[in-house]
Amino acid sequence: MIMPRTLPILYGSAIALLSSTSAFAVEAEPFAERLSAVLEKQNLSIDYAGAEERGDDVVLSDVTFSVDGTSVEAGDLLFEGVTGSREEGYEIKRFSTDLERDNAASGWKVDDFTLESIDIAGSDPASTTPTSSDLYFESATLGGVQVTESGKVSFSLTGAEIDNAFSDKGVLTSNFDLGNFMMKPAIGEDEPSLVTKLDYEELRGSASGKASWDSQTGELKIDQVQLAVEDAGTLTFSESISGYTPDFIQSAMQLQQRMADKPDNTEAWTAGILGLISQLKLGELELSYEDASLVDRLLSHYAELGNQSVEQLVATLDTMVPAMLAGFQNEEMQNDIAAAVSRFLKDPQSITISIDPTEPVPAPQILGAALGAPATLPGILNLDVTANQ
């Protein structure tokens, strides 16, 4: 039996415990305001009827997202495991939602969109996320996206994933798999679209890739980004750029904000963009295409339009390519590229364009060569074009 004289002690302990719990709980309204400010910089507006703390979670009620005048009602949104403050920033363990918009003519829906381990920079200028941006997450998954037009599915995407990791040495690595997509070509009002004329009733494929960014050196590497379309072809892209430092990112964000505030000041924005580009250097670059019937379809289509055979069309293109490259004023390069293009057109397998300079080339040097001495550009970049290898 609890003695009367012990009751004040128990009550006091309970009050102290409750008080300490609420002291560590995040305040919902400041969190919502900071989230809104960060999303606004991404051109995404968010309106909500109320913000409420539920233990370590925050719930925003009756949420509406707006992008470029288009609004979507999202209902109540749950942010799990929220910690931090408006000034120092917030960490969120998990956020997930489903979105849908539908009307008589068309509609779309997003299923199982989830973000985990989210960082939001605070209002204090010293507060940043691991990547120096206002928003960072470790993983994102998307169950599916579906777009309908006139009651029929015109686009779908399933199984998209993005994984980010930031090392102690300041290196961000990202792996993404955008899953599988299906897209039906638009039907022209006057005549069928080109995709339809090429006998593609729908396009199916996938996209994936990986990238890394060293925040200390500013080196950005994009590795094997691949877009594959069934019965069409596969496009693969890799690139490395240096000079992409946190200071560069901050300057780009500031310029973007000034452009939004004064969109008519085009001369200032042009100078600002050129100033940013001048800080970058181009390293390796490779763009390759592996055909899976798209080129054959294109050649057959345009040969039929010209009332000629595919062989005649290819012969005509063989004579056009060197003339198109004459502006480079580099006969050796013209001949090498023309020969590679000719091999590819006569037997469409693969074609690759690569740049591999001995050291990263400053962007101003590339622009200067392109405008003033185009004949030197292939040598500066160590440009190469190969086919069917």
Side-chain angles (χ1 to χ4, degrees):
M1 178 179 180
I2 299 176
M3 300 302 294
R5 63 185 178 88
T6 65
L7 291 177
I9 298 176
L10 293 177
Y11 288 148
S13 299
I15 292 172
L17 179 61
L18 291 174
S19 297
S20 64
T21 302
S22 61
F24 287 101
V26 71
E27 296 183 52
E29 190 59 39
F31 165 77
E33 292 174 356
R34 183 57 190 159
L35 175 65
S36 178
V38 168
L39 293 180
E40 189 71 35
K41 293 182 180 181
Q42 313 300 321
N43 197 32
L44 176 62
S45 299
I46 179 172
D47 294 316
Y48 53 93
E52 177 186 359
E53 308 102 57
R54 296 182 184 175
D56 293 333
D57 303 336
V58 173
V59 177
L60 303 186
S61 57
D62 296 331
V63 175
T64 300
F65 290 108
S66 299
V67 181
D68 296 330
T70 301
S71 298
V72 179
E73 295 181 358
D76 295 348
L77 298 182
L78 171 64
F79 297 83
E80 302 177 47
V82 183
T83 58
S85 67
R86 175 163 37 194
E87 293 74 24
E88 297 179 353
Y90 294 96
E91 293 183 1
I92 308 164
K93 287 185 177 180
R94 188 174 186 273
F95 164 77
S96 62
T97 187
D98 298 322
L99 297 173
E100 185 172 0
R101 178 169 182 161
D102 196 11
N103 55 46
S106 62
W108 54 264
K109 64 178 181 178
V110 176
D111 294 326
D112 298 329
F113 174 60
T114 301
L115 297 175
E116 294 185 341
S117 299
I118 310 161
D119 286 349
I120 297 177
S123 57
D124 188 327
S127 171
T128 62
T129 68
T131 59
S132 299
S133 62
D134 287 331
L135 184 65
Y136 170 79
F137 59 86
E138 288 189 0
S139 68
T141 58
L142 178 62
V145 174
Q146 183 172 288
V147 179
T148 58
E149 296 180 7
S150 301
K152 297 182 179 180
V153 177
S154 59
F155 174 83
S156 66
L157 175 69
T158 58
E161 298 181 1
I162 301 176
D163 292 303
N164 298 318
F166 200 80
S167 73
D168 295 337
K169 296 182 179 180
V171 177
L172 170 70
T173 56
S174 297
N175 293 277
F176 63 89
D177 183 346
L178 299 186
N180 299 310
F181 67 84
M182 184 283 295
M183 179 173 62
K184 288 186 177 294
I187 299 176
E189 295 182 0
D190 299 326
E191 62 179 51
S193 65
L194 175 60
V195 178
T196 303
K197 292 178 180 178
L198 296 179
D199 295 328
Y200 288 112
E201 295 184 1
E202 62 182 29
L203 299 175
R204 292 183 177 273
S206 61
S208 62
K210 56 184 179 179
S212 66
W213 174 61
D214 190 326
S215 62
Q216 304 297 320
T217 65
E219 184 178 20
L220 173 66
K221 291 185 178 180
I222 301 172
D223 188 23
Q224 296 293 307
V225 174
Q226 188 176 89
L227 172 65
V229 180
E230 295 178 8
D231 297 322
T234 300
L235 190 67
T236 306
F237 176 74
S238 298
E239 181 184 33
S240 67
I241 298 173
S242 57
Y244 196 77
T245 62
D247 288 341
F248 177 92
I249 296 172
Q250 289 294 330
S251 297
M253 293 174 61
Q254 293 169 4
L255 178 61
Q256 183 181 14
Q257 185 60 49
R258 291 197 297 270
M259 291 174 65
D261 294 339
K262 296 181 179 179
D264 297 330
N265 197 352
T266 55
E267 292 184 3
W269 309 146
T270 301
I273 292 171
L274 290 175
L276 284 174
I277 292 176
S278 68
Q279 302 177 41
L280 301 176
K281 295 181 180 180
L282 177 63
E284 299 176 359
L285 181 149
E286 183 174 286
L287 178 65
S288 64
Y289 172 74
E290 184 176 351
D291 188 55
S293 85
L294 174 60
V295 175
D296 284 332
R297 296 179 191 226
L298 284 169
L299 291 174
S300 297
H301 172 70
Y302 285 106
E304 184 178 352
L305 286 180
N307 195 26
Q308 57 184 325
S309 67
V310 170
E311 291 75 14
Q312 290 173 322
L313 175 60
V314 170
T316 301
L317 294 174
D318 274 346
T319 61
M320 292 174 58
V321 172
M324 294 170 61
L325 298 172
F328 282 104
Q329 303 172 15
N330 187 314
E331 185 175 354
E332 182 180 359
M333 182 206 70
Q334 292 171 217
N335 292 336
D336 289 345
I337 295 178
V341 172
S342 179
R343 284 195 299 272
F344 177 70
L345 291 176
K346 292 175 180 177
D347 181 20
Q349 296 181 35
S350 66
I351 188 165
T352 300
I353 302 171
S354 64
I355 292 173
D356 188 16
T358 54
E359 59 183 25
V361 184
Q365 183 179 354
I366 298 174
L367 291 175
L371 296 174
T376 66
L377 197 58
I380 292 173
L381 297 177
N382 193 18
L383 175 68
D384 190 26
V385 179
T386 58
N388 300 343
Q389 293 186 358

